[in-house]
Amino acid sequence: MTIETELRDEMNDRAAAITLPDDPWLGFHHREVRHRRHRRARIGVAAAALAGIVGVQSGLLPVPGWAPTVAVASADDALINSPVRGSLAADTAWQEGLRAVPEDKQDPTELWRVVDRDTVRVLYAGDVGDRRVALAYVSYRFGLLTDPQIVWFDGPRGATPQQMSERGNLDAARQGASLIDTSADGPGIAVVVGPQGSTATIGTGTPVTGVPGSGLAEAVLAPQAAEPTITGTLTSDGRTVTVPGTTGWTTTE
Amino acid sequence: MRPDDDGFPEFVRQQWGPLLRSAYLLTGDRSHAEDLVQAALEKTHRKWRKVAAMDAPTAYVYRVMVNTATSWRRRRSWGEIPQLPADTARADDPYEQIEHRQQLYAALRKLPPKMRAVLVLRYFQDMSEADTADIMGCSVGSVKSQASRGLQRLRDHLDTTDLRFTADNLLGSRP
């Protein structure tokens, strides 16, 4: 078999595993309207701030945490304003500790700093199998630009906040997020978090659905010989959407 | 005529799937792929009247998507921290074929964005060299050379991996 044929087969198989929404227009239109609204707001703010942009954006002038900025993306209010879910939902001390964990991000030419750790909001924290997992809303700033993100963290079961590591991040405009982490050598985990009021499902061979309306589904997954295709979904008002997320599959010899 | 009756909703319904699948192969991540398709379609929507009159509106949105993918990747280089499968496998492993394909995919993800885009357009979308060049905004010669170098890099990656299996097996270093 030639490399071209192998590559074609592999790409076709990978692509075929992507699930598609019944009507992509609805989701696209919803997000486009939101983006358009925020773009208009940004243009207004940008015009007002134009005079100070050059000095601040270049890093010559420091920006205090309370200073108004231009958001390069919006956040999904329903998700961000939902109560904390997970087995550590009542452990406010642990959640407080997690606020110190998000790190500034070095893009090739830009340093995106965590805006204000007081604004870091834990959306989910809990132990699943032998892992401790958390999801938090974190806003990053580069000069006058802010970029709200939802960030996954993980660590060993029972980990302190300082033992947690960042696993991945998504635009906070998302309705929800999933972390699906599997392994060939041991159990994996899957967590789907959405707004309270929605019902979360993990699409394994036998789907795992969380408590209806909780916006949360958690599962310990059996070892997977090959990288599986597992998706998280959220159902609300009879509409089901696939939740984007961070995935990983590992194997050791 | 309502704004939504200009044919764009139908265009989105028809193209979302093929675009998302290509975007997934370009980015290696579903959520980034969705963001990429959304961004490309929003840019297309802003010029829809002009684009709809083109001979190939689909080619236009692919061009926007590939261009966006390059800049997107630069901006989001810190975004995801994917765990790739370990670049090892065993010759006597019943999952050898699956792992071989995993290696191929992992190697594809390591290619530079433009080189990967050429391979996706040529071998997933089955586009001609001329159509690929049109979308990439480069010459046919450049497409030929990017595709050739990309395939060679994939071969090199697989050869290196295969050599590693062989050496490991000969040395009996595996249980």
Side-chain angles (χ1 to χ4, degrees), chain A residues 10 13 35 147 169 174 253, chain B residues 35 42 75 79 101 174:
Chain A
E10 175 64 8
D13 287 352
H35 290 169
D147 196 355
N169 57 283
R174 299 299 188 162
E253 295 161 290
Chain B
D35 288 346
E42 283 186 19
R75 186 179 159 233
R101 295 265 296 264
R174 312 289 170 106

Side-chain angles (χ1 to χ4, degrees), chain A residues 4 33 36 55 60 62 81 108 112 123 128 148-149 166 183 189 194 215 222 243 247:
Chain A
E4 291 92 335
V33 167
R36 198 181 295 152
L60 295 173
N81 293 326
W112 289 78
L123 308 176
V128 184
Q149 298 279 309
E166 290 187 27
S183 169
I189 59 154
V243 179
T247 59

Side-chain angles (χ1 to χ4, degrees), chain A residues 171, chain B residues 32 35-36 39 68-77:
Chain A
D171 284 341
Chain B
H32 285 186
D35 288 346
L36 181 58
T68 308
T70 310
S71 58
W72 189 271
R73 183 183 161 80
R74 277 199 295 264
R75 186 179 159 233
R76 295 284 167 187
S77 58

Side-chain angles (χ1 to χ4, degrees), chain B residues 8-43:
Chain B
F8 190 71
E10 198 49 39
F11 181 76
V12 172
R13 289 186 182 105
Q14 286 174 358
Q15 296 302 327
W16 183 269
L19 284 168
L20 181 64
R21 290 182 164 129
S22 296
Y24 177 72
L25 296 170
L26 290 173
T27 62
D29 178 85
R30 171 157 187 149
S31 59
H32 285 186
E34 287 184 344
D35 288 346
L36 181 58
V37 174
Q38 178 80 25
L41 284 169
E42 283 186 19
K43 286 179 184 175

Side-chain angles (χ1 to χ4, degrees), chain A residues 1 3-4 6-21 23-33 35-36 39 72-73 105-108 110 112 131 140 147 149 166-171 174 181-182 225-228 231 242-253, chain B residues 4 8-10 12-14 16-18 20-22 24-25 29-32 34-35 37-39 41-42 45-46 72-86 88-90 95 97-102 104-106 108-109 119-120 122-124 126 151 154-155 158 168 174-175:
Chain A
M1 189 182 284
I3 190 92
E4 291 92 335
E6 274 190 288
L7 179 62
R8 187 174 277 122
D9 290 349
E10 175 64 8
M11 288 198 288
N12 280 328
D13 287 352
R14 292 267 176 184
I18 299 284
T19 53
L20 300 173
D23 186 354
W25 166 253
L26 295 177
F28 168 80
H29 184 59
H30 177 74
R31 289 171 64 182
E32 185 186 38
V33 167
H35 290 169
R36 198 181 295 152
R39 199 161 50 240
V72 297
K105 305 295 183 190
Q106 180 68 58
D107 221 357
E110 305 161 357
W112 289 78
R131 307 273 291 282
Y140 295 90
D147 196 355
Q149 298 279 309
E166 290 187 27
R167 279 299 310 280
N169 57 283
L170 300 164
D171 284 341
R174 299 299 188 162
D181 213 353
T182 53
E227 187 176 7
T231 53
T242 301
V243 179
T246 298
T247 59
W249 176 78
T250 56
T251 180
T252 56
E253 295 161 290
Chain B
D4 289 358
F8 190 71
E10 198 49 39
V12 172
R13 289 186 182 105
Q14 286 174 358
W16 183 269
L20 181 64
R21 290 182 164 129
S22 296
Y24 177 72
L25 296 170
D29 178 85
R30 171 157 187 149
S31 59
H32 285 186
E34 287 184 344
D35 288 346
V37 174
Q38 178 80 25
L41 284 169
E42 283 186 19
H45 199 183
R46 281 176 228 150
W72 189 271
R73 183 183 161 80
R74 277 199 295 264
R75 186 179 159 233
R76 295 284 167 187
S77 58
W78 51 270
E80 291 287 326
I81 310 169
Q83 289 184 324
L84 288 175
T88 50
R90 295 171 58 173
Y95 299 108
Q97 181 60 31
I98 294 171
E99 291 196 14
H100 186 76
R101 295 265 296 264
Q102 293 273 0
L104 183 62
Y105 184 64
L108 177 72
R109 287 178 62 166
L119 295 184
V120 169
R122 289 281 291 123
Y123 298 109
F124 174 66
D126 282 327
L151 291 173
L154 297 182
R155 280 190 204 98
L158 293 177
D168 285 344
R174 312 289 170 106

Side-chain angles (χ1 to χ4, degrees), chain A residues 113-204:
Chain A
R113 296 181 186 279
V114 176
V115 171
D116 180 351
R117 294 189 183 272
D118 288 342
T119 64
V120 172
R121 196 172 306 172
V122 178
L123 308 176
Y124 165 86
D127 288 322
V128 184
D130 61 356
R131 307 273 291 282
R132 176 159 284 189
V133 177
L135 179 69
Y137 166 86
V138 183
S139 198
Y140 295 90
R141 166 178 286 175
F142 169 60
L144 286 171
L145 303 176
T146 57
D147 196 355
Q149 298 279 309
I150 42 179
V151 185
W152 282 110
F153 301 86
D154 80 341
R157 187 182 183 89
T160 64
Q162 292 70 35
Q163 290 173 312
M164 301 291 281
S165 307
E166 290 187 27
R167 279 299 310 280
N169 57 283
L170 300 164
D171 284 341
R174 299 299 188 162
Q175 293 174 40
S178 64
L179 175 65
I180 296 165
D181 213 353
T182 53
S183 169
D185 312 299
I189 59 154
V191 180
V192 177
V193 180
Q196 193 177 42
S198 64
T199 300
T201 300
I202 297 163
T204 60

Side-chain angles (χ1 to χ4, degrees), chain B residues 110-143:
Chain B
K110 288 177 183 170
L111 294 181
K114 284 189 177 172
M115 190 176 279
R116 185 166 61 240
V118 166
L119 295 184
V120 169
L121 294 175
R122 289 281 291 123
Y123 298 109
F124 174 66
Q125 287 291 336
D126 282 327
M127 288 185 183
S128 67
E129 287 170 340
D131 287 345
T132 303
D134 182 45
I135 283 172
M136 299 291 297
C138 64
S139 67
V140 171
S142 174
V143 166

